[in-house]
Structure formats: structure tokens, C-alpha cells
Amino acid sequence: MSQIHLFELSFAGLFFVLLILFALVIRKRPEKRLREIPAFAHLGRSVGLAVEAGKRLHIALGYGGVNDVQGASGLVGLTMLQRIARAASISDRPPIASSGEGTLGILSQDTLKSSYQAIRSENLYDPIYGQISGLTPFSYAAGTLPIIMDQQVSTTVLAGHFGSEVALITDANERVGSQTMAGSDNLEAQAVLYVSSQDPLIGEELYASGAYLNAGLMHQASVRTQDVMRWVVIAGILLGGLLKLIGVIE
Amino acid sequence: MAEIRCPMCSRLNPDELEICQFCQARLKPLIAKPNEPTPDWLNQTEDDENLDDSTGVNQPVAPDWLRSLRSREISHDDLSEDQSMGDPPDWLRAGVDAPDLLSAQRRESNDSDWLADFRSRQSDEEPTETEPVQQEIEEEKLAPLDVPDTTDAEIPDWLSNARFDNDTVNEPAVPELSQPDTDAEPEWLARLRSVHPTEGVGQVPEPSADKDEIPDWLKADGQNLGSAAVDQSFESAPEEEVPTWTSYFEKEGDSADLVTDLNELKSTEDELLIPEGDLPDWLKDGSHQPGPNAEPGEPEIRKDSEQLPDDSPPWYATAPGRPFKPTDQLSQWLRLEASGPDSSEPIPAEEIPDWLKADKEDLVTQSLTPKLEELSIESEPVSIDEGLSSSQFEKIPETQLTDAELHYDEDKADLDDDFALLEKKLFPDGELEQALVTTPEGDDLQAVDDPLWLVELRQKMGDSVEDQGLLKVSPFSEDIEHELPAEAMAGQAIPDWLIDVHAQEAIEHITGDSEPLEISQSFERDSENGLVQADLPTWLEAMRPVEAVAAAAADIMDEHDQSIEKAGPLVGLKGVLPAEPDVTLAHKPDSFGLKLQVSDMQRTRADMLQELVQNEALAKPLPRKPAISSQRILQVVIAVTLILAILSTLIIDTPIAKVPGFPIETGAVSELINNLSSSDRVLVALDFQPAFSGEMEAIGATVLDHLMLRGAQIAFISTNPSGPLQAERLVNIVNQRYDHSYAGEQITNLGYISGGRAGILAFASTPRQLAPLTFDSENNPWDSGSLRGVSKASDFALTMVITENADTARMWIEQFQPELESKPLIMVLSAQAAPIIRPYYAGSPQQVQGIVSGMSGAAAYENLLGRVGIARSQWGAFSLGVLAACILILLGGIINAFPIIGARMQKTNPGGDDQL
Amino acid sequence: MSITSMSMADLIGAGVAFILTLLILSYIIGDNPLFRVALHLFVGVASGLAVVIAFYNILWPQMIQPLLFGSEIERFYLLIPLVLSGLLLTKISPRLGGWGRLAVAFLVGVGAATAIGGAILGTLFPQALASINLFGDTRVGSGGTDILIQLAESAFIVFGTVTTLAYFQFGTRKINDQPAQHGAALQVTAWVGEVFIAITFGALFAGVYLATLSALVERLGFLVDFIFSLVIPG
Amino acid sequence: MSRLRTSLSVAIVISVGLIVLGGYFLDIPMLNTLQIVFLRWAALLGAVALIVGVFNLFNVHLRKINTGQKGSPYSLILLIALIATVLIVGFLGPTSFWSMWIFNYIHVPIESSLMAVLAVVMAFAGARLLGRRFNAFSIIFILTALFVLAGSISLSFVDFPVLAELRDWIDRVPTTAGARGILLGVALGTVATGFRLLMGADRPYGG
């Protein structure tokens, strides 16, 4: 295999090592402040208000296949689902998760189940709260509209892989007067969400949600690792550009 | 079909529904499992692994939780903060857990009685719950009152109830006084209490949503049936029934309802027989050694008291001895019932158990604890009764709990036999049913001298009510109804010390050397009487007229000395029924000066709790939205303008648009296709959603037309399930529109490969395995068809990806292009994907050799081919539509921005991020 | 099927499509039962198609057929996926679902690896290299522009990429009792990065809008054509 | 039992993940073969998951009907449509006339009509943006969008060649820059997520 793959391997290795190191460091010195992202601040309040107002929280996980790169954003969505399910477990209307892909639907049910088991509230779990609303992008969006319109949803969290059809979901929220917090790995979806969502999560911000929602030590660690690797990439680009400019590398 | 009223919208729903069909509110109560720990978000920073260790049962409910919600200052980790504020306000949950019940309660006369809601909820809930939950509920109710040691759950819930009762004056206090009992009471009791005369039993909600037909009390597990059902029916049942029946009498002499409830009463017999396994110890003892010889039980009692938290009040420590009594007495009472009126023989030796005498120390402590305190706080003559009754009340249930907890597992083995024995003893030949339904028997009553008021009552009710038995039970109820029983008084009069008293003090009181005079006297009196005051069964206590409480303690004692019951259930007991004069003076009890000493803080907390619970119980009207908002108008205006702009050009076909320019990357595409020969095989990855067919078919059709013009062999593949159908459709469109007749071997539809990126990677390396058959699964194109000899990606002369999705395009570039070995890859893209993919064309090494994007690209390409295809025919309408959209977005933006700019102008210092 | 019935079927189909299009477009005015009908019809049809196509294209040729008619090796090869599929199918029932977890775990494992591999090999390095290559790029991207201008453009692109990347920086310097924020330099960089993000999203939004508008044009075109074909037959 | 399943699941995730990951980076034939095999199995399982998904969809709406919830008539329509499609397309084959009829006259029209609705919805969203978040970035966003839109049309009466060039430049330079930055960021996040899964720190599959 070519040498460049060794570069990539070493990049992955460095990433992994840093992840472990930061996990160990954070275990010792937990506090490390994260920049404010309004969306997460609002989410905290939305959960509380939803519980108080007897409304429902809806987490849209998109339709990214789990065995794919796009699936990563859906898996981040599952982490948010887990946190929100626990946070809103005292609500009389448990959070509902909608997904547009088979595996993601199964995972959303598993996540809800384990979340409730963790707080010994298995009786809150009902498979219907982790539902698949459609199996193609648009049928997913179409199937999600009734959830938003009929289920007294006060806040919809969109975290996963979407396309431009996500505008239908945000518009439906707009119509029923519910809040939307949204992030996606897809650029077109991000562009649409930037306009149509109250609290857009831009690009990488979605992947930091675990850390912002205190989903655990590893999430904190991975955010720090991302911060470090970010500068590694930047340095790589600048250095590589310079070397390329002066013709050191072809 | 019975219906459930929704707590949120108050509309009726079929009772099998879990969620209101109108407002989607949960209809059926969610019941917390025992030992529910602090929800994870209390200690959010913990890893999930640690979650199970976190037992948050003792977390006090923190009203600040709500405050934090209301306060608008949110920090970035607000979520965790909100959550870590403390336990979920379970009482809030309680409000919604049994919504239908709440609404049922609301329909009752005492709308303002939020406590009743509480009680009925509990009594419905408890049967499916076990001790810890009771404990939890105690805490839930106590926490808002900011009781110091709530977390130790050392304050029994009857106490908190008593406190609440003080706020609700006209509340018959018996139920909350027997709160510990209701904690474990079977649901039929709860129903008796909470069911509205006009409601069917069917309306009783079923806490556990999953199990359907079986009523809750049957679903209740052994623990409940063992420790709850049995104890309840023996101890608190009579006491519980009373208020319900009286309420029936006073509301309406509706015999139908009475019969209904009687049936329920009957049904409880089964319940009483059901218990398996987890019988509280005292019952086991009872079953081993009938009645009196409770000495063996004595060590048990000690053990219990040892195992209790040190700071548990003395009565708690000494309690275990108590529960035996009522059981025993009831069984005896039943026997008396069976043996008829002339069973007025002296009580058999066993009926006055030795352990009652043996228990003196306990009794001292029982009467002592309260009394000392009363002496210290308010010296009212009633204090003894308070002490006795109040102490009496929590003993029984608490002991059951403790015992059940202690002995559930270890004794499970023997319990069945024990219980079988017990059953035999307690209800020979289903006497219980008899007893319960027609208690006491008609002729029994004849035997007992009917007091005047009883005669009156019979005249009043007798004819209207069919069921004599029930009627004949009514004397008690009548009694209770008109006069708060001693317990009620005591219960209402629970002084603060019972809440604020620190356990250590209490224990000091037990072991205290110096006993005040009154106590020793009372103890002596008790011992003289032979039957200890504190040993009166609770249901018997319930029958004591209020004057007994109202009058001075000394008088009461004298009274008791006077009368010994000759017959009936009370046979042999002294002074348990008031003399007639007392009874005939029936009137509502004056509210005595036995006031609950509530601090302002406690009062405000209690008020807040009341307000919150009431709000929770109220159906929340959905915020009324204006029929049509200005934004909706804006949306409609935008829609109409857009549609008109487009239609105008479509209908009146005016050439208002010029053919767009010709981007260099589009030229590259036509160049590459021109270089193809008829034998070349082209792989077309058709990966767009049907939604984009408007745009993608316009672009794809023209490029496909070019390919067909060159006579290339085209193979379609897709990573999108509907892709293969899209391919069929597109080929048809192109064939029809441009008069091609591409079919058979010229077109191979390889169908759909799943697995996204992985699928593409696998297809790139082993296309034959990934798509072994054609889309219709009819033949294998790789051996015989147009793809003969193709075994890898680079065997295709050209690969064209038609997609609207930049990610899909990138997947093909990243996974497939490296396998092409310098064979060209061209992209036919939607306008939305072009900006992201263009760098792959512009970049070096060039990963994409040509791009046709958007309607403009399609129109330009058609123009290049000299065709008037879909793109060019729609170009005018499209252009005008875009122009209209630009204007609308601009105007709409300005309209929406003006108010804000205005506001900014007024502000002296505009705020941070929004600052321009 | 005869030609006439086909054309009739197509005519009926066009009518159905016409009505359904109107029902969906009625959502612009507001949510209504007719829109809901069309919506649910669509979800049903789309899901049905997806599952049948998945069966025809994947399960049948790659699993069932080889298992039924394939060689021993093929069957052996498919043994594990068969078991995993069985486990996954248990997820249909909440009761049996427990063991389905293993199959899901397999998918997640593959997915996690694909995510890492795909992100590093597919995005991180290609994108970084594309930025690097801007400087050594001798061929002109689009339009013949002067090399200096192109260099300036390349520098600008890299600048934009770097500032955008820096915008995402999450960790902040810990300044007691002050809202979490970056240092001054990073704040400026992040601000510039956000400007690039806004421009990017603006351009992408425009692209998406063009796509949706072409859909609207196509739909309205279809409606007009259908009406015309009814009014002016042939 | 549940614990066993959990630890088994984690073991599967880690082992399978490492093998596939190794296949990406290392040039070991055995590893590469295993990677391809696992990827194919994953593709098969993806299709099975699709079927599970359809059952989930079916159950959700069946339950709606059984419990007579709000919108149950629509659920009935959905179920009928689902069953009919599965039967027709399943028995006649996906390329049969009636399968294509369903696709051409029901599926595509509805979906592209939804897309058409987006044209209105997004114009509305664009118009509202400044009302919702009035800041420098929103203004930049709107201006960019307007320039690109105006630059992608050529009307006989409104023709600004400058706009076309500006649009081309915006696409080529700042958009490329921003998109790369965002993509790199997303990739970093994806890698982190992947590693968390591989380490068993995130266990969405329960446990």
C-alpha cells in the first residue's frame, strides 16, 4: 500500500492515542470550558419547558445508513436522544424519535430502552417512541410531518443525515409553533437548516453535542481531541501548501 | 366500553387507549418501578456505567428545579444543571400519573381537594408498588415541605398527610390517617374511596399500560397481596369502607352503586386468598401460632427494631408486635359473626393475647413518645389520645413494610404453607366474604342493642337500600360521618414535633429514665383495664365518637371503664363504643385548637405544592393561535407570486430567457462523450431521489441523449432503492422525447447496491458479486449480456454519476474513482451539489473530468446538441421564477428586518451577537 | 396488456398524478386532510417500493438464491449473514429483540470503521490535499486567469478553509467568572470563519433553491400540460 | 443474560470494526478480503434492516388504527398503500407495467410535488431569516444567496453578466473554502464518533 496510507494510518493512530490520553486527563481534571453554543443552551431549556408544559420532544435522526459515513451523524443523534430521553423521563409525554433507515430505527429503540433502564423506568419505554416514519428521504420527511403536527411537539431536535427535504420538517415545526434545533453532516441540509431552524448546529458542532450534553467522559475527550487534530490538519495544510509552493513536494 | 377522561383536554377516550386521541396526553398512569434511582441526569457527568449505583430515591424534590426552568438565565450546560437540580418532582409526575383519576376526583364535589387527588392516586397506584415506592411517595410529599430529614424517609407519610389535612378543613381525616395502610391497600379500597357514584368501575385506570384486562389488584405482585391486601382487609378495611359508604348515603341512596361496590367487596375475597410467599412475618407467626402466643414474635420485633435506622421513631421500633392484633381480632370477630348473636360468651383466653400484656414496655413507649412531646409543646388533655392514636397508626403498616422487606426472600420458602395455614384460620368456609358483604349479619345487629341513632338511620335508609347487610354496617359509618373519629382529630392534630422531632430525641424518650406522671398513670390504667388502650384495632378506633376526643382525657378513660361490649364484633372490649348520649349529640366536630404548627416557609412551600398539583391536574388549554398569522400571509403571498410568475411563462410561451452560457466543465463532458465508440460500455450511476426528477431528468436526459447518439452500451447502477426505477423511467423519457429505441442489450439495469459507501467500494472491486443479476432478476449480464468481460470498474470506458446529492457524488468520487485507473468520471449534478463537487474538477489531481449542473447546464448542453429538450422548454419559466424568488426573499427580508432595526435604533446598547 | 388499456391506464395515471400533485401543493395554503391523504399514500408506496426493491436486488440474488441453489462454499459463506439476518429479524418483536443486538453490533462495528476510514481516506486527506495542491497547481481551474491571481485565490481558499476550521474550536481559555470565550486572536479568526460559512451556506442555499424551483416549474408544467391535453385533445 | 449480550455486542463491534478499519489502511491480503466480506455482509444486513424497518412502520400505524388514535384513517391509507405496493411490485416484479405505473403516477408526482412545495417553503424561510437572526452573518448569507440565484439565470430583459461571474467566483473560491472547512470539521467529528463506537464508549445498540 502506498506511503500516503501510512500517513492516514498515523493520523488515525494519533487521533486514537490522543482520545485515550484526554480521557485519562479528564478523569483527573474534569473542568475544561467549552465555548458557548446557543443551541445547546436553548435545548436545556426546551427540555425543561416541554416537561413543564406537558409537551413532547421529537428527535429526528435522519436516514443515514449506520454502516456508512453518513451514519455517524445519526449515531450522534442517538447520543442526544439518550440524554434527552433521560432528561425528559419525568414528562407525561416521553420523547419520540423518528428515523428513516432500518438500522437507525432499531438503534433508536435500543437507545430509548437502555436509557430508561438506566434510570429504572422501563415502563416508560414503548417501541412506538422509536419509530421509522419512512424509508426513503422524502417519505421519511413526509412521515415525520404528522408526528410534528399531531403529537404536541414543543421542540424538534434534528440530528442526523438529511437532505434539502429537511426544510419540510422545519417548516412543519414552524407551522405548529415548535422550536427546532438542527445539525447534519450534509452540507445542503446544513444550508437549509441555517435558514429554517431557530438553533442551527453548524458542521462539527453537531458532533460535539455529546460533550455539551455531558454524555460522558469520552465525549469530552473526543472534543478535546478534535480541537487538537484540527490544528494538526491546519498545520498540515499550511505546511503542505508552503512545501508545494516552493516545489519541495509534487 | 368504559372511557377515560383525558387529564389534559378532559375529553373522553376509550379506556384501552394509553394516549389521548385528541391531545396525545398519556391517559394511563406511569408507575415508577421500585428503587428508582436518581435519574441519570442528576449526576450527569458520571459515566453510564456508574448510573446504576446512583440511588436517588432519597433525593429531596427540589422546587428550585422549576425555578431554574422559569428563570431565563441558562448556562451552556443548562441541561445537566436543570437535571441535576434534584429528583424529578415526582409529585408532579403523580399529578399526571393518574390523570383520569384526577379528573374523576375533579368531578367529585370537592374540587378543591387536591389532597384527595393525591390519596386516590396513591391508593390506585400502590397496589402495584412495593415498599421503596411508598417510601418514595412519602418523600415526594414531604420534600416540598422542606422537612429536615426527608432523605432518611424517617417521617411516615401519614404525617405529611396529616399536615396537609390541616389545610383542607372539611376533609374526613380517616383516610389520610390510615395513609400507611392506603400505601399498601388493595385497589378495591381505593376504588371504594375514589369512585364517583355515577362512574362505572370500568373507569378505574390500569396503572400498567401493558397488561390489559386484569384489574390492578390482581396484577399486584405477591408482596402487595401478601403484605398489603391481607393486612389491609384486616386492619384498615373497615376503617376505609366507612367514609365511602357514608358518602354514598349522604350523596344518594343509590342502591345500584352500593351493589356495584359490594360486588367489589366480594371480589376482594379472592384477593385476600391470593397472597403468595411474601407474607409479613407477623402474619407468619400468626399462622404458626394462632393469636396470643406472640412471644416468639418478640425477638422478631426486636430484630426489626434493630434493623431499623437508629433514628426511626420509638413507635416504629416497637411496632412489629402490633399488626398481629387486628388480624387476630378480626378473625375472632369473623368467628363471632359466624356463630351468630348468642355468642356473647366471654372472650376466650386467647382473645386477650398475653403478648399484649407482655408488650407493656412497648405500649409505654408508644403512648410516651407523643405525650412527652405534647407536654413539651402544647399541654392539652387530649394529648394522650393523640399520642395513642397517632402512634397506633403508623405502627401497623410500617411494620409490614419492614417485615416484608426483611423476610421476603429468606422466608419465601415457608410462606406458602404458612399462608395456607393462615387462610384456614382466618377464613374458614369463606366466612370472610359473608363477613365483608353482610357485616354484621342482620340478626347479629338485633342481638346487639341498637342505639337510638342506629334505629333512626335504619328508618332513614332501610327501605331504599336493598342490601341490609351494608345498611347494617352503616351505624359505624353514620357515626364516623357525623363525628370525626379520634384518629381524625389526632391525625389533624399532629403537632410539629412529630415532624421536626429528631429521631435521637425520640429514642431518648423511649429509654428516658424520668417518666412524667401522666404517662405512668395512663399506663397503669391500661394495665388495670387488662386490655391496653393502644391495642384497640384501628377500625375499632374509628368507631369511637369524637366526643371521646373532645372531652377531657380523664373522662374518656372513665367512659371506657364503664362499658364492656357484650356481643357483636366488639365483644369483650371496653369502652370502645361511646355511651348513647354522646352519639345522639352527633354534630360536626369543632375544630379544636390542635393546630399544626407550620412555619411560614413550610406554609409557602405547601401552598406552592398545592398550586402546582392543582395546575398539573387541570386540563391545559392549548394556546390559541390566531386564525392566520402575518407570516402565513407572507408565505401565501410568496407562493402565489411564484406560481403566477412561472405559470405566466408556461402558458404564454414567450421567449423571455436567453440560453445560458457554456461552462468549461460542461464542455469537457460533451468532449468525453464524443470520444466514445459504439462498443464502449458506460456505467451510469443514477443516484437521485424521485423528488429531484424535475431537475435531474432535464439534465440527465440530455446527456443520456448524447450517449445514445454515440450508441454506447449503457449500464445503470444505483445506491438508492428507487434508482433502478428512475433509470427505467429516464430511459423511457429519453426514448420518447428524442426518438431513441434503446432497449435490450444496449441498456442493462444492474439495479441497486445497498450499503452506501461500503457498497460502492465493494462494487468498484467486485461488481459481479454486488450486482450478479439485472434489476428484474431475469438474467446475468456479466456472462452473456452487454457486460460480458467486465469484471472491474476500470472496464467501463466512462462512468457517469447522475445525482442531486453532494455526499453521494463524493462517495462515488472517493470510493469508485480510484478504481477507475484514469478512466474518466463525469458528474451530472443538481445545482445544489455543484458548488461542492466543482473543486474536484478544478483541483489537482483532477478527480472529476466533467460536470453538467443545474437547469442552466442542461439548457446549455441541449443547446450544444442542438436539441430543444426539457431544460430549454422550461428555462424561461425557471428564470422568471428565480427572479421572482429573489425579489420576494429580498422584500420579505426587509419587511422582517425593519422592526428589529427599529428596535435596535431605540436600544442604547444593542446586545452582543446580534450586533451588526 | 393491450395498447388501448395501456393508454387508458396511462391516462388514468396522469389523472391520478394530477390530483395528487394538487393535493400536495395544497399544503402551501395550509395543512389539510387531503394533503394528509396524499402524504400517507406516498409514505406507504415509497416504503413498499423500497422494501421490494431491496428484496429483488439484494436479498434474492445475494442471499436467498445462493442459499437455495448455490454451491456448498457459497452456502457456508452465507451462513453467518444468515444467522445475523435472523437475529436482526428478531428485532421485529420487542420480546425477542434481545439477541438482535448482536447483528446490530455487527452493523455498528462495520459502520464505525467505515466512518473512520471513509472520513480519513475520503474526506480529511482528499480535502486537505486539494487545499495543498492549490499551490502547486499549474493547470488553471476555470477560465484562463493569471497565475498570480490564481495563487492569490488559492491562498484565499486556504485562508477560508483554515478560518472555517478554526471557527469550530470548542475548548476555550479558562477565565474565571467570565463567559467561556476564545482568546482575542481566535475570536477574530472564528469570526472570519463564520463569514466564510455564511457565504458557503448562502451559495448552497441558492443551489438547493434552484433545484426546488425546477421541481416547481416541472410540476406546474405537468399541470398545465395535463389541462391542455384535456382541453385541446391531440 | 443482558450483560452477556452487551459484552458480546461490544466484542463484536470492536473486532469487526478493527478488521474493517485495518482493511482500509493496511495492505494485508487477508485483512482486505475480510474487509470486503464484512462490507458485503453489512450490505446484506442493511437490506434486512430495511425489512425490519417496514415492519416497524407497519406496526406503528397498525397500532394507531387499533387504538383509534387521531389520524388513524390516514394510517389505514398508508397500510393499504404499503400492502398493495408490496403485493403488486413483489409479484409482478419491479419493472412490470403496474410497478412502473405506481412509480410514475403516484410515487414520483407526490415526491416532486413535495419538492415543489419546498420552493415556497424555502423562499419563505429566506425571507424570514433576517427577522429571526438579524446579524452580520444572516445578511451575508442572504446577499450571497441572492447573488448566486440572480447569477444563475439569464433573462432577455434582465441580464447582468457580472452577476454570472460573481456567482462563478463565489462558487469557486469562498464556497469551496467554506465547504472544505466544514467538511474537514465534519470529518474530524465523524472520526471521533467512529472511535467512540469502536472503543465501546458509545453503545447505541443498548447495554
Side-chain angles (χ1 to χ4, degrees), chain B residues 683-704:
Chain B
L683 178 71
V684 176
L686 198 141
D687 259 343
F688 63 87
Q689 298 295 324
F692 288 79
S693 47
E695 182 186 26
M696 298 314 296
E697 282 173 359
I699 314 166
T702 180
V703 183
L704 210 59

Side-chain angles (χ1 to χ4, degrees), chain B residues 26-86:
Chain B
R26 177 168 278 283
L27 291 169
K28 303 206 173 158
L30 296 172
I31 294 163
K33 286 272 160 83
N35 299 327
E36 179 170 307
T38 310
D40 145 274
W41 41 274
L42 258 180
N43 34 30
Q44 271 217 344
T45 48
E46 288 181 19
D47 284 345
D48 295 355
E49 288 71 16
N50 313 343
L51 277 168
D52 298 346
D53 308 333
S54 65
T55 53
V57 181
N58 295 338
Q59 289 288 346
V61 176
D64 0 0
W65 177 82
L66 284 169
R67 266 188 254 120
S68 80
L69 285 182
R70 300 220 165 82
S71 72
R72 291 289 174 257
E73 42 195 27
I74 306 291
S75 70
H76 72 80
D77 50 354
D78 191 286
L79 185 58
S80 57
E81 273 181 22
D82 279 359
Q83 293 149 359
S84 58
M85 283 300 183

